[in-house]
Amino acid sequence: AQKVTQAQTEISVVEKEDVTLDCVYETRDTTYYLFWYKQPPSGELVFLIRRNSFDEQNEISGRYSWNFQKSTSSFNFTITASQVVDSAVYFCALSEADQAGTALIFGKGTTLSVSS
Amino acid sequence: KAGVTQTPRYLIKTRGQQVTLSCSPISGHRSVSWYQQTPGQGLQFLFEYFSETQRNKGNFPGRFSGRQFSNSRSEMNVSTLELGDSALYLCASRPGAGVNTEAFFGQGTRLTVV
């Protein structure tokens, strides 16, 4: 069965520290998609990145970077030089191609608190 | 371009009542999904509609239902409300049916059942 595990419930850092959010997934499909979303206090989920199972290249976008490793079924997210505005709940999600629809399976989320 | 709009933003209902939540997707988007978010269970998929047809349904009781209209707007209904239905209900829209497209979420409807 498909499953996403975010073992870190809460992380607190001081501004300018680097922080890595862990995500481990389980799926039997060979074609799947992994996502990261950010949920600020306002409630909506903000899309950060999508990665398909055939693309293991790491990606960097500004202060954000993602490390996808199929061998360990992990898709970790690193924020470099964190800022107070990064404080939010971050969700990792999985969507399998072999399903009727596009349902996202979410992890429980990691609450990141960045203090000044 | 307007985002996903959910109405109402907040709702208080009494146990046993029913409730209807509305979601207007981004213009041109034909796929709408609903998710329930609670502190205990996290984010859970409810159902998905594409071109007025339900494509997939999560593991929720029959009290939870939904529909999609020809203009892609969607509604979800919860009948015989229970205290455990208190949650943030999020709607997401996608431009098409493919799983490889990103989902854009609304700000949600916060339902409180008392």
Side-chain angles (χ1 to χ4, degrees):
Chain A
Q2 62 272 38
K3 185 180 178 182
V4 176
T5 301
Q6 294 180 255
Q8 304 149 309
T9 306
E10 295 182 21
I11 300 176
S12 294
V13 299
V14 178
E15 246 187 337
K16 297 184 184 175
E17 280 187 44
D18 297 347
V19 58
T20 295
L21 310 182
D22 297 334
C23 172
V24 174
Y25 63 92
E26 294 176 32
T27 178
R28 285 178 291 190
D29 276 14
T30 55
T31 303
Y32 52 89
Y33 294 83
L34 296 165
F35 302 79
W36 275 96
Y37 281 89
K38 173 182 179 180
Q39 186 176 41
S42 53
E44 81 276 19
L45 291 171
V46 178
F47 169 83
L48 295 176
I49 190 172
R50 175 185 63 248
R51 173 68 72 224
N52 75 56
S53 53
F54 298 106
D55 183 2
E56 287 194 73
Q57 278 194 338
N58 292 328
E59 182 156 338
I60 298 174
S61 176
R63 297 184 296 107
Y64 296 169
S65 62
W66 291 268
N67 180 265
F68 175 32
Q69 292 195 337
K70 283 179 74 170
S71 60
T72 56
S73 297
S74 65
F75 186 42
N76 297 336
F77 173 32
T78 297
I79 301 175
T80 303
S82 60
Q83 300 176 0
V84 172
V85 294
D86 295 327
S87 297
V89 183
Y90 290 86
F91 291 94
C92 180
L94 163 72
S95 192
E96 297 172 325
D98 186 20
Q99 62 164 322
T102 63
L104 289 163
I105 307 300
F106 285 91
K108 294 285 188 174
T110 297
T111 300
L112 174 64
S113 298
V114 182
S115 57
S116 57
Chain B
K1 194 173 185 182
V4 179
T5 304
Q6 292 188 246
T7 57
R9 289 292 312 280
Y10 302 92
L11 206 49
I12 299 176
K13 288 288 188 178
T14 303
R15 204 167 31 171
Q17 287 186 314
Q18 75 165 21
V19 67
T20 299
L21 311 182
S22 179
C23 172
S24 293
I26 292 172
S27 179
H29 285 197
R30 296 164 62 193
S31 171
V32 173
S33 299
W34 289 89
Y35 292 83
Q36 180 196 64
Q37 185 176 22
T38 60
Q41 299 300 316
L43 277 156
Q44 294 185 286
F45 170 74
L46 278 158
F47 25 65
E48 176 186 358
Y49 289 88
F50 180 79
S51 293
E52 302 178 67
T53 301
Q54 187 179 89
R55 295 185 74 198
N56 201 355
K57 190 177 192 303
N59 188 24
F60 278 84
R63 301 185 296 107
F64 291 81
S65 62
R67 59 178 175 169
Q68 186 180 35
F69 302 95
S70 57
N71 62 357
S72 294
R73 190 177 70 85
S74 177
E75 288 181 347
M76 67 162 282
N77 184 279
V78 188
S79 62
T80 319
L81 284 165
E82 300 176 0
L83 296 179
D85 297 333
S86 295
L88 179 66
Y89 290 88
L90 290 163
C91 168
S93 77
R94 292 176 188 261
V99 71
N100 61 338
T101 57
E102 68 185 80
F104 295 85
F105 283 82
Q107 289 189 298
T109 294
R110 172 80 59 187
L111 172 65
T112 302
V113 182
V114 298

